[in-house]
Each structure stands twice: as C-alpha cells, then as structure tokens.
Amino acid sequence: MRIGLVAAMIVAAVVMLVPTYFGAKPDGWPGFLPAPIRLGLDLQGGTHLVYTVDVDKAIENHLERAADELKTDAKNEQIGLSSVSVQNEIITAQLSDPAKKDALEKVISDHFPNLSIETDSSEGVVRARMTKVTIRDIRESALDQSLEIMRNRVDQFGVAEPIVQREGDRDILVQLPGIQDPERAKALIGKTALLEFKLVPKDASAAGAVTMPLHDRDAVTGRVTRSEIKVEPRTLMTGDAISNARPRPPTATQGAHVEFELNPRGAKIFEELTGNNVGRQLAIILDGVVQSAPRINDRISERGIITGNFELKEARDLALVLRTGALPAPVHPAEERTVGPSLGKDSIRQGVLSFVVGGSLVVVFMLVYYKGAGVIADSALVLNVLFSLAALAALGATLTLPGIAGIVLTLGMAVDANVLINERIREELRLGKTARAAIDAGYKRALPAILDSNTTTFLSGIILFQFGSGPVKGFAVTLCIGIATSLFTAVVGTRVVYDYLLSQRRLQTVSV
C-alpha cells in the first residue's frame, strides 16, 4: 500500500509540473489541472504597490450626506435650522426655534436609524452620532468597494496575473508583473475618479461661487497650463450616472476626448440639467480639477463628451476609470517598489545557484557519512523537491526569492529527519538486532522527535503567514509545504525502499 501511495504521488506531481516545464498549459490541458508556477515580482520584475484607504474620509462623506438629508427632512417638517455641521463623527444641528427640539429629534429617530441622539445636547442644539455598527460597516464597505474597483481597473489595464488583495484593515496590495511604469500605474489605479458636473455662474462675482483649478492643454504644443474658474457650489450630477465611457482620437478641431453614455436615471437628470441651462457653461470636474467647461448649446440626454485636449493615453485612462467607477474613499500610496526584469533574472540565477550548492553539500555529506542509507535519504530529498514544487503549482502559490530560501531550508530539515532515523538504526544494529528489527525500531524510536521538531516549525510558519506580508508570506508558504513533504518523504518514502529490499530478501544488513 505504501508503494502504491508513493508511486501515485510521484505520477500526480509530474503531471502537475508539466505546464511549468513547458512554460504554459499544453493544448487540450484540462481546466481543473494547475497552470505553471507563478513567479513573484522579485523573480520576473514588475511593480509592487501598497495603498492605504482613507476610511475616515468615507465616514465623513456619509455624515455629510446624512447632514444634507437632515436639512431636507427638517425643511419638509417645517423645522427651521440655522446651521448644520459635521465634526468628530457628530452632526450638530442648531435650531432656529428651540421649542422644536423634540420634533427634530423625532425626525432623526424616524428617518436616520444609523444615528443616535446625544443626551447632553444643549438648549436649541441637537447632536447625533453615527452608531458604532454603522461605522464598522462603512469601513468594511469602503475597503471592499475599493478592492473591487481597483481590481477592475487592473484587469482593464491588461496586466497578466496581477495580485490585488486586502492587507490588514486599511491597506490594499497591488502587484503588477511586467509593469515598468509605476507612475502611470499609480495614476490609473489610485485615482479617486470623482466626476462632478457644476454650472459656471453667469456673474463670476456672484455670492457663493467657488474658485477651482482649471486644467488646460494647448492643442498644438501639448503644453499644460493651469488657471482658475468660478463654479457654483452645488453638484448637479456625479460620475455614478455614467454607464459606459470610451476614448476618442483627436480630430481637426479638438484633441483626444472621452465619450460617455448615461444610465436611464443619469440621462433624465442630464436632459433636465441641459434643457434648463441652454447658453450657460457646464464645468466637468474630475477629482477637484475642472477638465473643461463647454457651453450648453442644446438639450442633451443619454450621452456627452469630456474635452480637455487630452493626449490619447490620458483619454484612454480617463475612460477606463470612469467605466470602473469612483473609489468610495481616497487612497494613498504607502509603499512602492519596482523590480527590473534583469534584476529578476539575476535573482533566479542566484536562487538556483544557492539551491544547487546547498543541496549538493547535503547530498555529498549523506553519501559519505551514511553510505547505502545515505543514498536512500538522498532519493527522499529529490522526491521532497518534486512534491514541494508540485504542491506550489497545485495551490496556485507564487514562488518568490524568499520562497526559494524556504525550499533550501526544508532540504536541511528533511535530511535532519533521515539523520535521526539512520542514527537510531545504527544503534539498534550495534545491539545485535537483525536488519528488519533494526529498521522497525529505528523508525519507531525516531518518529516522536521528528514529529515534535516539524510540528513546532510548522506552527512558526503558520504564524509568519498569518501576521507577515509580501516576501515573509512567500517564505512561510514554501516552509510549510516543505515541512509537510519532507515529513512524508523521510518517514514514508524511505521506508518504502527498505520494505521493498526486505521483501526481496536483498537486505541482510543495513549500510549505515
């Protein structure tokens, strides 16, 4: 049974590594079988980014929206409010008539279940705090939405086998193999992409008008200039009404631009907006910068364009972020690392060299010191490497430079188990036992020590994987896989060889 198990595992491991050997899945390769082993950025080059999501800003945005809705509901209930402000996760409403405090508290209780009224509110003032459950949900939602949107942007960016995943309670890890232009990747992935439409006031000196930066590019020279423009404070429509966007090449009259289509709700809003303001300028604002302020010549619905004399690449990137939607909260780059492809090749060469040198020394030592038993132990080492690589392919794990270090380390640990077994067998032979009895006793007496040492190291690997990040996790994965395979090959694989030799009556004594 042991022989059949080991033979089956060898066949399975070889099959798992076929795509890795050829560098790609062969034609007709079944979909349920693994792809080639993925190489980490340190081995193939690329861009490593870690973004921190500003979840506090997401909470602030929710509170500001709740404050606006509270103003509307209070007005509908004929409750006058002299001011409504947001600070430290608390909405503070100042009543024009203090006698209507109970009425305002009832509005909050009935319409805003996510707010709890502060009991220490003073005369004529109502304070409401967002509940802890709501704050926790907003944090989780902001992270999940940011992760999904960034993943969509990376997918549409055309990167092969990217990694986009959460790290901790605020960070998102983005790894882009083969990307050597981190600035463009950062501009694309980390752009908040908040698109707003606001009217330009007829009179620039009108009360309440807000000054905003204006992005302008000369269509001939391509030179970018920044000026300022006054816009009305009220946002009439946002980018969430956009259902599709696509870049358009430059024409004789304007540079590259972005054409967008609106969903039914957005089309209705846009038709009303443009129909009521023919002849006025409409500012199109992206992340707080006015991209263009075209004049409305007619009623428009369903689709429009964003001009700004963009370069075609800029128009393509803008269309991409508009299609994937705006991030629910700003993100800030916390870590950035770029690995060149030549450095990755050097890393592979050095990793393979360390593996060959380390493995050769172990093999030679076992042959010299344990003779025939050393040959069996070395065979187990070869199987250990085969099973480790097959496990990496089967699990879809990524092989990194620290991962190679983990494999080399487990080689030493694997031979350590064989050393224990061989020493026990040698002791039993010195007591005058037969080869069969010495092998049985050697494995039996060595097993507890082997299990103890491998279990503690395996637990350490799990802790490294749970609390580590990046390269540390890669090391932990190969370490844990290597421990499991080395335990199997040292205890089961080598025993199969001894059992076969004993069954064939070819083993009168053990060469150890």
Side-chain angles (χ1 to χ4, degrees), residues 64-81:
E64 288 178 350
R65 282 198 292 272
D68 290 339
E69 292 172 7
L70 179 59
K71 290 178 190 174
T72 303
D73 290 355
K75 184 178 180 181
N76 293 338
E77 297 292 333
Q78 297 183 340
I79 301 172
L81 299 178

Side-chain angles (χ1 to χ4, degrees), residues 46 88 170 236 274 329 338:
N88 297 330
R170 282 177 176 263
L236 301 173
T274 53
T338 302

Side-chain angles (χ1 to χ4, degrees), residues 451-462:
L451 289 177
D452 287 347
S453 61
N454 282 275
T455 301
T456 53
T457 310
F458 190 82
L459 292 175
S460 301
I462 291 177

